[in-house]
Amino acid sequence: MGDYPLAELGDKTPLEVADIPMIDELCDRGEFFLNYTVPDGYPPGSDVANMSLMGYDPAAYYTGRAPLEAAAMGIRLAPDEIAFRCNMVTLDHGEDGQVAMRDFCAGHITNEESHALIAALEDECATDQFHFKAGVSYRHLLIFKGEHPGFITVPPHDYIEQDVTKHFRKYLAEPQWKTLLDKAKTVLADHPVNRKRIAAGKNPASLVWLWGEGKMPTVPTLTSRFNITGTMISAVDLLKGLGVLGGLSIANVPGATGYIDTNYQGKAQAAIDALRSQDFVFVHLEAPDEAGHQGSLGDKITAIEDFDARIVRPIVMDLRNRNEDFRVVVTMDHFTPLALRTHVSDPVPTLLYDSRETTKGSGRPFSEKSCTEHDASAQNGIKAGHEMIEKLFAIK
Ligand SMILES: [Zn+2]
């Protein structure tokens, strides 16, 4: 939701312009914080930032994106195994050994096609050290048993239509990785799925690109840390993986897409249902981030307003009808400013509402500016993003 002031909005941010009466009402009686979800020196990714929101210090627990996705897929890594994200990509190979990244997602290849390719790779390229695991669309995993080869990997979406020769050569410098990739290239080149794609004028999955690797972090569950039970509600595998590591139940909401057409009602209902028997829900909405990447101001404002009216309002109204005390945190993992269309590591506006606070409050709306001007972090001893959850669960 977070963004920078935009000239076209009269120097206001999308959050300031969006009509969010429910969140503003919570804000009126709540406390404001600026939450440093991305520690210095870490990439401002959803993996790092959501780890902070879940109460885990990235400096202590972050090992990479792929092991979190492995957790979401129900894969438990042995201590000597490393999960690599395995993208299906389209590479262009020049005659002089130059390599360019034509497409980081092989034309958003379908599950049916990519699962056939992953099965072929597992049949023909797997060894005691390498195994392929099928995920969704272009997003799969390679599980490697052994010592990390020491090369530094890069995300393929950062190199769209760019030369990746020097990054590709890092894999080729390691004999067993070179063997794996050479064989994978041959298997994929001859595969009927790719022949069909080429005939239809689509980008083939010409190779796999390995990145985002890490070992499975060992984290204490939220259940053990705070004596609570809970559910993760998200369309995104990464968040589901964090939920698994945190010891939460995972809700699979039909129609949860990660875009502005997501099943808002289904997500809110899943939260309401979970809170009948559990203490905590983490409801994640991807749509404002996607709108930021697409540079769509209209979609971003719509996503923020839908979040207020179709997620926050029904959940809060249901809790009020139960006559039980509750707390709500409204926040974001990181900004995805429309002007930049990528993530940044600015601290994020956060509000904490406690239903026992009955006095009329500040009258201030929920925005980047309010949270900056009235940041209560210092008085409340919150210095880093992962401390927020301790405050949420602390019973006064
Ligand atoms: Zn994003």
Side-chain angles (χ1 to χ4, degrees):
M1 290 193 288
D3 213 308
Y4 300 143
L6 294 166
E8 60 203 292
L9 297 179
D11 277 338
K12 291 190 166 159
T13 66
L15 188 54
E16 287 176 301
V17 167
D19 186 26
I20 47 168
M22 186 76 249
I23 294 173
D24 284 342
E25 190 200 315
L26 300 178
C27 208
D28 182 44
R29 297 188 211 152
E31 281 182 275
F32 296 102
F33 298 93
L34 275 184
N35 203 0
Y36 290 78
T37 52
V38 181
D40 284 349
Y42 283 80
S46 301
D47 42 7
V48 168
N50 280 294
M51 191 167 241
S52 287
L53 291 182
M54 283 277 286
Y56 299 112
D57 181 1
Y61 297 113
Y62 180 71
T63 60
R65 165 183 284 260
L68 300 175
E69 293 180 337
M73 288 161 64
I75 298 167
R76 283 280 165 197
L77 298 177
D80 63 344
E81 288 180 328
I82 301 171
F84 283 73
R85 164 63 91 76
C86 172
N87 274 48
M88 291 276 172
V89 297
T90 314
L91 298 179
D92 289 322
H93 296 267
E95 279 173 16
D96 47 0
Q98 298 295 109
V99 184
M101 180 69 62
R102 194 199 311 171
D103 189 343
F104 77 97
C105 62
H108 283 103
I109 190 165
T110 64
N111 281 346
E112 198 189 346
E113 292 170 307
S114 69
H115 286 194
L117 297 177
I118 289 289
L121 290 173
E122 179 63 17
D123 271 355
E124 304 199 35
C125 307
T127 64
D128 288 347
Q129 281 197 294
F130 295 111
H131 284 286
F132 292 89
K133 302 282 181 188
V136 176
S137 179
Y138 62 91
R139 306 186 297 271
H140 310 282
L141 293 176
L142 174 79
I143 311 299
F144 169 68
K145 192 188 259 306
E147 286 292 310
H148 192 287
F151 48 58
I152 293 171
T153 61
V154 294
H157 53 256
D158 284 353
Y159 291 87
I160 299 166
E161 291 175 15
Q162 288 180 40
D163 187 287
V164 285
T165 310
K166 76 171 182 195
H167 300 296
F168 190 67
R169 283 189 180 148
K170 291 181 218 162
Y171 305 111
L172 303 187
E174 301 293 328
Q176 83 225 57
W177 292 77
K178 182 178 187 312
T179 306
L180 176 81
L181 289 178
D182 285 348
K183 205 160 177 191
K185 193 175 161 196
T186 310
V187 169
L188 291 171
D190 287 343
H191 200 282
V193 162
N194 273 331
R195 281 199 234 121
K196 233 188 237 174
R197 287 186 67 83
I198 292 167
K202 296 176 184 167
N203 280 341
S206 69
L207 202 49
V208 291
W209 190 268
L210 307 165
W211 63 285
E213 73 275 16
K215 294 192 173 207
M216 190 66 81
T218 315
V219 306
T221 62
L222 296 183
T223 311
S224 66
R225 282 176 71 194
F226 301 108
N227 194 26
I228 55 108
T229 55
T231 292
M232 170 63 74
I233 302 169
S234 173
V236 177
D237 271 353
L238 183 67
L239 273 289
K240 291 181 184 177
L242 279 168
V244 170
L245 291 183
L248 304 181
S249 315
I250 309 301
N252 282 308
V253 178
T257 58
Y259 297 102
I260 58 163
D261 63 352
T262 199
N263 180 1
Y264 290 93
Q265 198 192 339
K267 287 176 118 169
Q269 194 58 49
I272 289 165
D273 291 345
L275 289 171
R276 288 193 208 290
S277 57
Q278 295 182 316
D279 308 302
F280 169 65
V281 291
F282 187 120
V283 187
H284 168 256
L285 188 69
E286 180 80 348
D289 173 67
E290 276 300 328
H293 287 301
Q294 284 158 17
S296 171
L297 173 59
D299 280 359
K300 187 153 186 178
I301 292 173
T302 302
I304 295 169
E305 292 182 344
D306 282 341
F307 173 60
D308 181 73
R310 302 167 76 180
I311 301 277
V312 183
R313 175 173 294 276
I315 296 171
V316 168
M317 287 307 175
D318 188 84
L319 290 171
R320 283 185 177 161
N321 286 336
R322 292 182 202 188
N323 267 329
E324 288 172 21
D325 291 325
F326 62 93
R327 286 176 174 173
V328 180
V329 166
V330 176
T331 187
M332 53 209 81
D333 50 357
H334 52 70
F335 288 14
T336 312
L338 289 160
L340 304 176
R341 298 180 63 175
T342 189
H343 305 164
V344 294
S345 45
D346 299 43
V348 297
T350 300
L351 84 84
L352 173 61
Y353 167 84
D354 188 318
S355 65
R356 293 169 296 180
E357 294 293 336
T358 52
T359 50
K360 261 272 180 207
S362 64
R364 283 186 294 265
F366 182 60
S367 71
E368 296 84 353
K369 209 163 128 193
S370 307
C371 291
T372 306
E373 286 172 1
H374 305 283
D375 181 13
S377 310
Q379 302 93 293
N380 287 280
I382 297 176
K383 291 175 215 74
H386 65 274
E387 294 174 355
M388 185 68 217
I389 210 158
E390 290 167 18
K391 181 152 177 66
L392 173 66
F393 289 136
I395 304 302
K396 279 184 218 164

